[in-house]
Coordinates of all heavy atoms in Angstrom, one line a residue:
I28 N -72.6 51.9 55.1 CA -71.8 53.0 55.5 C -70.3 52.7 55.3 O -69.6 53.6 54.8 CB -72.0 53.2 57.1 CG1 -73.4 53.8 57.3 CG2 -70.9 54.2 57.7 CD1 -73.8 53.8 58.7
G37 N -64.3 60.7 53.9 CA -64.6 62.0 54.4 C -66.1 62.5 54.0 O -66.4 63.6 54.2
S38 N -66.9 61.5 53.6 CA -68.2 61.9 53.1 C -69.3 61.5 54.1 O -70.5 61.8 53.9 CB -68.5 61.3 51.8 OG -68.6 59.8 51.9
L39 N -68.9 60.8 55.2 CA -70.0 60.3 56.1 C -70.6 61.5 56.9 O -69.9 62.4 57.4 CB -69.4 59.3 57.1 CG -68.8 58.0 56.5 CD1 -68.3 57.1 57.6 CD2 -69.9 57.3 55.6
T40 N -71.9 61.3 57.1 CA -72.6 62.3 57.9 C -72.4 62.0 59.4 O -71.9 60.9 59.8 CB -74.1 62.3 57.7 OG1 -74.6 61.1 58.1 CG2 -74.4 62.6 56.2
A41 N -72.8 62.9 60.3 CA -72.7 62.7 61.7 C -73.5 61.5 62.1 O -73.0 60.7 62.9 CB -73.1 63.9 62.5
A42 N -74.7 61.4 61.5 CA -75.6 60.2 61.9 C -74.9 58.9 61.4 O -75.0 57.9 62.1 CB -76.9 60.4 61.2
E43 N -74.2 58.9 60.3 CA -73.6 57.6 59.8 C -72.4 57.3 60.7 O -72.2 56.1 61.0 CB -73.1 57.8 58.4 CG -74.3 57.9 57.4 CD -74.0 58.4 56.0 OE1 -73.0 59.1 55.8 OE2 -74.7 57.9 55.0
I44 N -71.6 58.3 61.1 CA -70.5 58.0 62.0 C -71.0 57.5 63.3 O -70.5 56.6 63.9 CB -69.6 59.3 62.2 CG1 -68.9 59.6 60.8 CG2 -68.6 59.1 63.3 CD1 -68.2 60.9 60.8
D45 N -72.1 58.2 63.8 CA -72.7 57.7 65.1 C -73.1 56.3 65.0 O -72.8 55.5 65.9 CB -73.9 58.6 65.4 CG -74.6 58.3 66.7 OD1 -73.9 58.6 67.7 OD2 -75.7 57.8 66.7
Y46 N -73.8 55.9 63.9 CA -74.2 54.5 63.7 C -73.0 53.6 63.7 O -73.0 52.5 64.3 CB -75.1 54.4 62.5 CG -75.7 53.0 62.3 CD1 -77.0 52.8 62.8 CD2 -75.0 52.0 61.8 CE1 -77.6 51.5 62.7 CE2 -75.6 50.7 61.7 CZ -76.9 50.5 62.1 OH -77.4 49.2 62.1
Q47 N -72.0 54.0 62.9 CA -70.8 53.2 62.8 C -70.1 52.9 64.1 O -69.7 51.8 64.4 CB -69.9 53.8 61.7 CG -68.6 53.1 61.4 CD -67.8 53.9 60.5 OE1 -67.5 55.1 60.7 NE2 -67.3 53.3 59.4
Q48 N -70.0 54.0 64.9 CA -69.3 53.9 66.2 C -70.1 53.0 67.1 O -69.5 52.2 67.8 CB -69.1 55.3 66.8 CG -68.1 56.1 66.0 CD -68.0 57.5 66.5 OE1 -68.9 58.1 67.1 NE2 -66.9 58.2 66.2
K49 N -71.4 53.2 67.1 CA -72.2 52.3 68.0 C -72.2 50.9 67.6 O -72.0 50.0 68.4 CB -73.7 52.8 68.0 CG -73.9 54.1 68.8 CD -75.3 54.6 68.7 CE -75.6 55.9 69.3 NZ -76.9 56.4 69.0
A50 N -72.4 50.6 66.3 CA -72.5 49.2 65.8 C -71.2 48.5 65.9 O -71.1 47.3 66.2 CB -73.0 49.2 64.4
F53 N -67.2 51.1 69.0 CA -66.1 52.1 69.2 C -66.6 53.2 70.2 O -67.8 53.3 70.5 CB -65.8 52.8 67.9 CG -65.3 51.8 66.9 CD1 -66.1 51.5 65.8 CD2 -64.1 51.1 67.0 CE1 -65.7 50.6 64.8 CE2 -63.6 50.3 66.0 CZ -64.5 50.0 64.9
L54 N -65.7 54.0 70.6 CA -66.0 55.2 71.4 C -66.9 56.0 70.6 O -66.6 56.4 69.5 CB -64.8 55.9 71.8 CG -65.0 57.3 72.5 CD1 -65.6 57.1 73.9 CD2 -63.6 58.0 72.6
N55 N -68.1 56.3 71.2 CA -69.1 57.1 70.4 C -68.9 58.6 70.6 O -69.5 59.2 71.5 CB -70.5 56.7 70.8 CG -71.5 57.3 69.8 OD1 -71.2 58.1 69.0 ND2 -72.8 56.9 70.0
T56 N -68.0 59.2 69.8 CA -67.7 60.6 69.9 C -68.8 61.5 69.5 O -69.0 62.5 70.0 CB -66.4 60.9 69.2 OG1 -66.5 60.6 67.8 CG2 -65.2 60.2 69.7
M57 N -69.5 61.0 68.4 CA -70.6 61.9 67.9 C -71.7 62.1 68.9 O -72.4 63.1 68.8 CB -71.2 61.3 66.6 CG -70.3 61.5 65.4 SD -70.2 63.2 65.0 CE -68.7 63.2 64.0
Y68 N -71.5 69.9 61.5 CA -70.6 68.9 61.0 C -71.0 68.5 59.6 O -70.3 68.4 58.6 CB -70.5 67.7 61.9 CG -69.6 66.6 61.4 CD1 -68.3 66.6 61.6 CD2 -70.2 65.5 60.6 CE1 -67.4 65.6 61.1 CE2 -69.3 64.6 60.0 CZ -68.0 64.6 60.3 OH -67.2 63.6 59.8
D69 N -72.3 68.1 59.4 CA -72.9 67.7 58.1 C -72.7 68.8 57.1 O -72.4 68.5 55.9 CB -74.3 67.3 58.3 CG -74.6 66.0 59.0 OD1 -73.6 65.3 59.2 OD2 -75.7 65.8 59.4
V72 N -69.1 68.7 55.9 CA -68.8 67.6 55.1 C -69.5 67.9 53.7 O -68.8 67.6 52.6 CB -69.4 66.3 55.7 CG1 -69.4 65.1 54.6 CG2 -68.6 65.9 56.9
T84 N -64.5 66.9 64.9 CA -64.4 65.6 65.5 C -63.4 65.6 66.7 O -63.6 64.8 67.6 CB -64.1 64.5 64.5 OG1 -62.8 64.8 63.9 CG2 -65.1 64.4 63.4

Side-chain angles (χ1 to χ4, degrees):
I28 291 169
S38 67
L39 297 183
T40 66
E43 290 167 333
I44 293 171
D45 182 68
Y46 188 93
Q47 182 181 48
Q48 290 174 338
K49 287 177 185 173
F53 301 110
L54 173 65
N55 189 353
T56 58
M57 284 296 161
Y68 177 88
D69 290 345
V72 169
T84 62

